[in-house]
Amino acid sequence: MSGKILSASGYRPYDYLSSPIFVDGFLADFYPVSLATSITESVVESTRVKHGQEYIFRKRPRAEWFDYRKNQRMEPTDLTVETVSMVVGRAKGFLLKVDALDEMTLPDFNMYIAEWQKDAKEQLALSMDMNIINTMVHQASACNKGNAAGVKYGNLQLGVTGAPVAINKDNILTYLMYLGIVLDEQNAPKQNRFVILPAQAQVALQSNPMFMSQCASGSKPLILADVVPNLAGFKIYFSANAPAYNDPSGKIAFPIVAGVKNATYFAMGMQDTKAGVEDVTSWGKYWKGLAVFDWKVVRPEFLAVAYATIQI
């Protein structure tokens, strides 16, 4: 007999964690900063989000003006009411089970549970970021992407599948301005504009000749800045969660999303969490949680997409 209590089939043994000496704390894991609340508008924060809850967004009515001549009979304009609805229909849950014997013998047991719950929140945030960005890519107005982008003139080339535009250190600012022009043609607000760049684009941006020249002028170069400044009217976000595709051209291409926060609304709430729930069939306990959330693109004309390769 080894003296070790055996585990039932399917239950992970934690005996190897019961050695007598542990270094304080845990090895650090680092996560990218979540973008969900930075690139979307939150539903009224005081509202407790529930699964199945419906939110109605009202669009501003459009006014019409007519040319007028003396004594002309004018036709009335109807007041149109246009709405967009979002029904909260997404949910994710977690369920952790630990046997009572491990709870009694595992050093710093409560710290393990706290770190596990913290990681669960981080993983949920990263998952939501990837899905929200993908939604924006596919639901942005067709006039705001492709090789005829621009609702008024259609003369901007932002790349298509099979023929992505090539962004490099010399033209990256030009393409940011193109995205801005596309939004301007849709009368998108200048406030709260953002653009999500893949992590590789950081090299191209920081190597841009305009920023490199700042070193010679005595200004603080971008590579030494703590925060990337707003450029071309956009708050810049670099994300390792930006979508990437194996383009038919044989290159890795990135859909670069730019837009206004209120183009997309986001609702998030934790419906229920329970800790230390006893399992009546064994000497085990459960930690479980249920996150309820959703998002909706309500103004697709306020989103623009460039499909590009990044040359570094």
Side-chain angles (χ1 to χ4, degrees), residues 8 14 60 73 107 110 147 154 176 189 192 204 206 213 222 231 267 269 291 295 306 309:
Y14 295 97
R60 176 180 293 178
R73 187 178 182 85
N110 290 333
N147 282 338
L176 289 179
N192 295 321
Q206 292 181 345
S213 66
L222 179 62
L231 297 173
W295 59 87
T309 61

Side-chain angles (χ1 to χ4, degrees), residues 71-147:
N71 204 36
Q72 174 183 336
R73 187 178 182 85
M74 297 181 65
E75 295 294 330
T77 298
D78 294 329
L79 178 64
T80 58
V81 178
E82 186 178 358
T83 62
V84 178
S85 67
M86 178 181 75
V87 177
V88 177
R90 302 176 196 261
K92 285 183 179 289
F94 67 75
L95 180 64
L96 172 68
K97 181 181 180 182
V98 179
D99 192 271
L101 291 175
D102 286 313
E103 181 179 359
M104 289 187 289
T105 59
L106 191 63
D108 301 315
F109 173 77
N110 290 333
M111 190 161 55
Y112 272 97
I113 296 300
E115 290 293 325
W116 193 94
Q117 292 174 320
K118 179 181 177 182
D119 185 73
K121 293 178 181 179
E122 296 284 359
Q123 294 296 338
L124 177 63
L126 298 184
S127 173
M128 288 191 299
D129 279 358
M130 295 179 68
N131 285 288
I132 290 173
I133 295 171
N134 267 313
T135 300
M136 291 178 171
V137 169
H138 291 99
Q139 295 189 13
S141 171
C143 297
N144 294 0
K145 51 189 175 182
N147 282 338

Side-chain angles (χ1 to χ4, degrees), residues 286-302:
Y286 292 104
W287 281 258
K288 59 183 181 178
L290 181 66
V292 177
F293 57 93
D294 218 323
W295 59 87
K296 176 88 172 183
V297 173
V298 298
R299 299 299 297 266
E301 68 274 22
F302 288 176

Side-chain angles (χ1 to χ4, degrees), residues 224-282:
L224 298 180
D226 297 323
V227 179
V228 178
N230 287 7
L231 297 173
F234 293 110
K235 172 66 177 176
I236 307 295
Y237 295 101
F238 294 104
S239 176
N241 285 329
Y245 302 110
N246 291 312
D247 188 73
S249 64
K251 300 176 180 178
I252 301 296
F254 302 90
I256 297 173
V257 181
V260 183
K261 281 188 66 173
N262 63 9
T264 308
Y265 273 78
F266 176 72
M268 174 71 187
M270 184 68 79
Q271 182 171 314
D272 195 13
T273 56
K274 293 184 179 180
V277 180
E278 293 188 359
D279 182 359
V280 297
T281 65
S282 72

